[in-house]
Amino acid sequence: MSATVGGESTQTPGPAEKMGFTPGQVVQELGWDNDTDDDLRIAIEDLLDADLVDGDYGNVVEAVVLWWRDEDGDLVDGLVDAKSDLVGGGVIWLLTPKVGRPNSVDAADIAEAAPIAGLSQTTTAAVSKDWQATRLVTPKTPA
């Protein structure tokens, strides 16, 4: 928290807010493992005021949080699978270990895989000590 000129306090948005999540959204989490950032997961769930749903949810979701490591296989396949339950206009947040961490994913690999999977890369941001997030969306088609 920080003080403003008028004496009010403002709260610096955390990673979940910066990622654009809002209360009531249905967000699917894929690729969870022991190395994922539990603080970030909890912050997202707190903001949503709901639990993250898993791959067995069986309905459409408004966003996907996809934890991905270099050892996880073909990124294009992972992104295509992540799109399967995503509602039109939804977003995929691809979470990868930061550069220099074990199993980090090269930015060039993401830039190459996204368009093959039918996605556009819009933003990359550090969201925790060990993880960075890349925002991927379905490109808008001309009317």
Side-chain angles (χ1 to χ4, degrees), residues 9 41 49 62 77 96:
S9 61
R41 294 179 74 250
D49 196 27
E62 296 159 286
D77 289 344
T96 56

Side-chain angles (χ1 to χ4, degrees), residues 6 11-13 16 27 35 40 43 46 54 58 79 81 91 106 112 117 130:
Q11 193 166 15
T12 305
V27 178
D35 63 347
L40 178 58
D46 286 349
D54 63 17
L79 293 173
D81 290 346
V91 62
D106 192 290
E112 182 180 313
D130 295 317

Side-chain angles (χ1 to χ4, degrees), residues 11-37:
Q11 193 166 15
T12 305
E17 290 90 356
K18 288 179 183 176
M19 293 169 80
F21 295 119
T22 57
Q25 277 187 310
V26 178
V27 178
Q28 185 176 57
E29 178 184 41
L30 302 172
W32 179 91
D33 206 339
N34 293 330
D35 63 347
T36 56
D37 188 308

Side-chain angles (χ1 to χ4, degrees), residues 2-120:
S2 62
T4 61
V5 175
E8 313 89 40
S9 61
T10 58
Q11 193 166 15
T12 305
E17 290 90 356
K18 288 179 183 176
M19 293 169 80
F21 295 119
T22 57
Q25 277 187 310
V26 178
V27 178
Q28 185 176 57
E29 178 184 41
L30 302 172
W32 179 91
D33 206 339
N34 293 330
D35 63 347
T36 56
D37 188 308
D38 284 334
D39 290 337
L40 178 58
R41 294 179 74 250
I42 290 167
I44 293 170
E45 289 180 333
D46 286 349
L47 182 60
L48 298 174
D49 196 27
D51 291 336
L52 296 167
V53 299
D54 63 17
D56 296 329
Y57 179 62
N59 207 338
V60 295
V61 298
E62 296 159 286
V64 174
V65 171
L66 174 60
W67 301 93
W68 195 266
R69 301 141 201 93
D70 190 49
E71 67 183 14
D72 286 343
D74 185 64
L75 181 55
V76 173
D77 289 344
L79 293 173
V80 169
D81 290 346
K83 286 176 39 178
S84 64
D85 293 333
L86 193 62
V87 70
V91 62
I92 295 173
W93 280 101
L94 177 64
L95 294 160
T96 56
K98 287 183 178 178
V99 174
R101 305 294 199 281
N103 285 308
S104 66
V105 177
D106 192 290
D109 292 342
I110 297 169
E112 182 180 313
I116 295 170
L119 297 164
S120 291

